[in-house]
Amino acid sequence: MCGIFAYTGKKGKDAGGVLLDGLLSLEYRGYDSAGIYTPESGSVRTPGAVAELRKKIPKGFKGKSGIAHLRWATHGEPTEKNAHPHSDCEGEVWVVHNGIIENFKELKEKLIKKGHTFTSDSDTEVLAHLVEEHLKKEKSFEKAALAALNEVNGTYGIALQYKKEPDRIIAARMGSPIVLGLGDGEHFIASDPSPILPHTKKVVFLEDGEVAVISPDGHRIFKLDSTKVKRDATNIDWSAEATQKGGHEHFMLKEIMEGPEVIENTLRGRLIIEKGLAKLGGLESVAKQLEKIERVIVVACGTAYYAGLVGEYMLEEYAGIPVEVELGSEFRYRKSVINEKTVVLGISQSGETADTLEALREGKRRGALTLGIVNTVGSTIARETDAGVYNHAGPEISVASTKAFLSQLTALALFTMFFGRQRGMSEATGREIAKALKELPEKLQQILDTKESIQKLAKKYSKARDFLYIGRKYNYPIAYEGAIKLKEISYVHAEGCGAGEMKHGPIAMIDENFPTMAIAPKDSMYEKMVSNIHEIKARKGPVIAIATKGDKEIAKLADDVLYVPETLEMLSPILNVVPLQLFAYYFAKEKGLNVDRPRNLAKSVTVE
Ligand code: G6P
């Protein structure tokens, strides 16, 4: 989803180059047009990619400061005129914006009556004109910007620049993330830390309702009512290299290959194996309250939602606590029965997904304790929840979430141990889970080592137009997750289904051209899965089975088998999903598609 980057410095750096490089590291968020402005050279905008923008920038384009943007269309088509930055009538006030100005129509009408001329369909442009209008009365840019911000409703992350004060850039945040980068003689504004990290690790996150002014030498933060805000900087330890591809052709493959390390990082320092305990520092402040909790409602979207569904099985079986999993986009419209003995647990890689965030806010309003499993340090969900656990999966760049999913499941297993041991789970069971968790990275590596055979399989099935994914119990959500991976990056129809539900509809689609991925490890559901595979074979459907290493029987039944090492049933999704991720990756690659940036999708969806 839209990305902002702004720079001001006195080091003699070429702001244009800094801004374009920054936009490249925001590309993963998903966008459809791009633009840049410097007070010295003006603006360049284009539909399409940053590479297009680079081509369009004329020789001699220069600047010591500037603002830049990647747009994901909401109001108005992805065209040059709708791309950001937008300006006022005189081309002096420039703005880049993430979010939606809800009262833009009224404001626009008012401004048109006052003689302003608009050149785009975008809601954002109204902001530049509003600042221009206020500059007629307020001689200071800062005051005019503040007055304008006080007039708009909606959500925004903003960077504003004024040609007559080129050193200074104003940022503001209301519902859409903004982070400041504090360098030596240079300062930055961005919608997430990735474009800042190559320059400085020192960042400050803005809260909703806050405004910041940066100049080469410093920054100030204040609220919309002008009261000063003091906030310490945070050091972000993601290296700039970590956001690069590390030798792989795509970020998605790199991120899948990082799986073993990611699980280790999520577990690091959190297991006391001999006592069968999970030590979660982020939950300590609410540990007493958690003992009295009677119900957990997980809220999440997309892949994180499927992680939540696995968590439901884990928590109910091992912690004996009732769990419900709800889509973030639905939860707030339900009249769920919530009280102070309810935990609303948000799961989010980005920590910025608007639907998940709003669901958590709703939970909080209704008196629940809110917790988070979040990957992005300092993100809105991380800050707004009462307590929580970071995934420590590192930055995930590819739109299709892979390593973050593994870390979400790992964190849920830790949650389960934590809740479980508070509710009578035996030390022996705790030990068993802890040991099995510790063994996962090595087992996962064994799967990754078979990636060439998965690539061959993807090639074999590359002409198929439809796939069914089936699984049961812990692996029922994995059927959905496997299907979403394939469809989001290859645009091929793939349907997830609880294997028991197959006979109530999906089986009607099966024929010799409709392959099924059957997740059938040797667990409590094995016999039932084998029956389902028989049902598909009886209808001539090709079957690819995900099976436990050593299971020779299934090879007689299925057309192809991908083997996975054995582990505890509750942890098996963490292994079983990986061949499905690799299959989706190689399948899309075989089709020559843009694996890391699939069409129509965004990495972080900050609108509802
Ligand atoms: C988008 C992404 C998905 C992700 C979902 C939830 O749709 O494309 O990969 O699972 O948002 O994102 P979150 O950051 O909250 O985990």
Side-chain angles (χ1 to χ4, degrees):
M1 192 122 312
C2 309
I4 287 176
F5 190 41
Y7 171 77
T8 177
K10 60 173 184 191
K11 294 182 144 183
K13 278 189 195 168
D14 156 37
V18 171
L19 291 172
L20 285 172
D21 289 346
L23 288 185
L24 280 181
S25 53
L26 288 169
E27 277 197 308
Y28 75 94
R29 295 167 70 96
Y31 69 102
D32 43 42
S33 46
I36 184 172
Y37 166 80
T38 68
E40 288 90 334
S41 294
S43 77
V44 183
R45 300 179 295 174
T46 183
V50 176
E52 291 302 312
L53 183 66
R54 212 183 269 273
K55 276 192 226 149
K56 252 181 119 170
I57 289 180
K59 267 215 166 80
F61 186 92
K62 58 180 192 317
K64 288 191 230 132
S65 63
I67 56 179
H69 191 256
L70 298 180
R71 171 172 188 255
W72 189 73
T74 54
H75 289 77
E77 308 249 286
T79 55
E80 179 176 341
K81 75 166 184 175
N82 287 334
H84 300 210
H86 287 290
S87 81
D88 63 346
C89 302
E90 300 300 324
E92 291 188 334
V93 178
W94 289 83
V95 60
V96 291
H97 164 224
N98 294 351
I100 295 169
I101 305 293
E102 282 163 6
N103 58 340
F104 88 99
K105 279 207 180 105
E106 298 98 275
L107 290 170
K108 192 169 173 174
E109 275 165 24
K110 247 173 48 191
L111 287 160
I112 289 174
K113 278 192 194 135
K114 290 191 174 163
H116 289 257
T117 317
F118 283 76
T119 55
S120 79
D121 311 321
S122 148
D123 54 322
T124 301
E125 194 186 345
V126 86
L127 265 164
H129 291 274
L130 209 50
V131 176
E132 180 182 33
E133 189 59 31
H134 282 288
L135 271 167
K136 291 180 186 161
K137 294 163 267 161
E138 304 281 1
K139 287 291 164 251
S140 124
F141 171 44
E142 202 175 300
K143 282 193 180 144
L146 208 57
L149 289 170
N150 274 300
E151 272 189 74
V152 299
N153 302 328
T155 56
Y156 54 78
I158 284 170
L160 269 165
Q161 197 169 16
Y162 184 36
K163 198 174 176 180
K164 293 186 179 160
E165 297 181 24
D167 276 0
R168 213 189 279 208
I169 304 173
I170 297 181
R173 171 190 166 133
M174 185 67 80
S176 188
I178 287 286
V179 53
L180 311 181
L182 317 185
D184 176 19
E186 54 183 3
H187 282 74
F188 307 82
I189 294 164
S191 30
D192 74 45
S194 56
I196 294 176
L197 291 180
H199 306 277
T200 174
K201 300 203 180 317
K202 232 169 126 183
V203 301
V204 176
F205 293 96
L206 289 197
E207 302 276 355
D208 279 351
E210 287 178 356
V211 182
V213 183
I214 62 163
S215 61
D217 289 316
H219 76 284
R220 282 180 292 120
I221 305 175
F222 42 91
K223 294 195 179 151
L224 281 170
D225 63 8
S226 298
T227 48
K228 279 190 191 148
V229 173
K230 225 181 118 10
R231 173 135 340 110
D232 291 337
T234 313
N235 265 313
I236 298 237
D237 57 4
W238 293 358
S239 65
E241 296 78 45
T243 57
Q244 300 307 311
K245 288 183 201 159
H248 292 287
E249 197 179 336
H250 295 100
F251 282 112
M252 183 174 176
L253 183 59
K254 170 189 175 249
E255 286 158 6
I256 296 173
M257 298 307 284
E258 282 171 359
E261 194 189 326
V262 163
I263 296 176
E264 262 164 28
N265 287 342
T266 309
L267 294 176
R268 181 157 297 128
R270 289 168 165 174
L271 281 177
I272 310 174
I273 297 189
E274 57 297 351
K275 291 190 181 154
L277 285 173
K279 197 170 138 258
L280 295 171
L283 297 186
E284 260 161 33
S285 60
V286 293
K288 275 265 155 297
Q289 219 178 326
L290 289 178
E291 282 172 11
K292 298 191 190 79
I293 288 302
E294 289 173 354
R295 185 157 154 252
V296 175
I297 302 176
V298 178
V299 290
C301 303
T303 287
Y305 170 75
Y306 298 130
L309 287 177
V310 176
E312 178 176 28
Y313 283 84
M314 289 179 177
L315 283 160
E316 291 195 343
E317 179 166 356
Y318 284 93
I321 185 160
V323 181
E324 252 178 278
V325 190
E326 181 66 279
L327 292 167
S329 50
E330 285 297 324
F331 175 75
R332 55 198 296 230
Y333 304 110
R334 277 181 62 178
K335 292 276 166 279
S336 303
V337 184
I338 292 176
N339 58 28
E340 70 292 347
K341 290 190 176 163
T342 310
V343 157
V344 176
L345 167 63
I347 304 177
S348 174
Q349 187 287 123
S350 61
E352 302 293 350
T353 301
D355 287 324
T356 307
L357 178 60
E358 285 307 323
L360 281 160
R361 285 177 176 161
E362 182 63 20
K364 200 175 225 177
R365 271 195 290 274
R366 296 209 239 145
L369 177 72
T370 57
L371 302 181
I373 294 180
V374 173
N375 189 37
T376 309
V377 176
S379 57
T380 313
I381 293 180
R383 291 201 312 272
E384 289 197 10
T385 39
D386 296 312
V389 170
Y390 279 122
N391 299 26
H392 297 312
E396 190 177 64
I397 306 292
S398 184
V399 168
S401 181
T402 53
K403 65 173 179 171
F405 183 68
L406 300 193
S407 69
Q408 284 160 350
L409 296 180
T410 307
L412 281 161
L414 290 169
F415 254 75
T416 303
M417 287 178 66
F418 189 93
F419 271 99
R421 290 305 310 276
Q422 282 191 332
R423 289 172 165 70
M425 177 200 283
S426 72
E427 188 178 309
T429 306
R431 243 191 333 258
E432 189 191 11
I433 301 174
K435 274 196 187 143
L437 276 167
K438 266 293 197 209
E439 288 167 2
L440 280 179
E442 200 259 308
K443 291 183 176 173
L444 177 52
Q445 191 55 51
Q446 292 176 32
I447 302 173
L448 296 175
D449 291 342
T450 67
K451 70 178 195 307
E452 275 79 23
S453 57
I454 301 176
Q455 181 167 18
K456 277 192 200 131
L457 201 67
K459 205 173 176 150
K460 175 175 167 189
Y461 286 90
S462 64
K463 296 283 170 296
R465 291 294 309 153
D466 307 273
F467 281 85
L468 184 65
Y469 283 66
I470 57 170
R472 285 175 181 262
K473 200 175 165 182
Y474 283 102
N475 289 296
Y476 145 69
I478 299 308
Y480 282 83
E481 174 56 17
I484 203 176
K485 266 322 68 113
L486 189 71
K487 66 185 145 197
E488 67 186 335
I489 59 169
S490 71
Y491 322 139
V492 156
H493 165 232
E495 196 166 319
C497 170
E501 272 295 295
M502 205 174 64
K503 57 186 173 293
H504 298 295
I507 200 165
M509 300 185 291
I510 296 297
D511 64 17
E512 62 276 22
N513 299 316
F514 204 124
T516 299
M517 282 278 184
I519 308 156
K522 278 250 173 174
D523 61 13
S524 62
M525 291 289 110
Y526 181 69
E527 299 304 330
K528 293 239 184 279
M529 282 304 299
V530 167
S531 305
N532 292 129
I533 295 174
H534 273 292
E535 286 162 9
I536 294 165
K537 288 313 305 169
R539 286 150 185 92
K540 302 199 170 49
V543 172
I544 308 165
I546 310 294
T548 304
K549 241 184 194 163
D551 180 359
K552 298 221 169 59
E553 286 310 300
I554 210 148
K556 293 182 196 150
L557 192 58
D559 300 75
D560 293 283
V561 186
L562 295 172
Y563 284 110
V564 167
E566 192 166 9
T567 180
L568 267 188
E569 186 169 2
M570 74 173 266
L571 301 180
S572 70
I574 302 179
L575 298 181
N576 292 333
V577 75
V578 176
L580 302 180
Q581 293 173 341
L582 283 167
F583 183 84
Y585 169 73
Y586 285 118
F587 191 89
K589 185 172 168 235
E590 182 65 29
K591 291 188 173 305
L593 295 168
N594 188 345
V595 176
D596 287 330
R597 287 207 300 114
R599 69 184 184 201
N600 305 341
L601 295 177
K603 179 72 182 160
S604 173
V605 184
T606 51
V607 289
E608 287 169 43

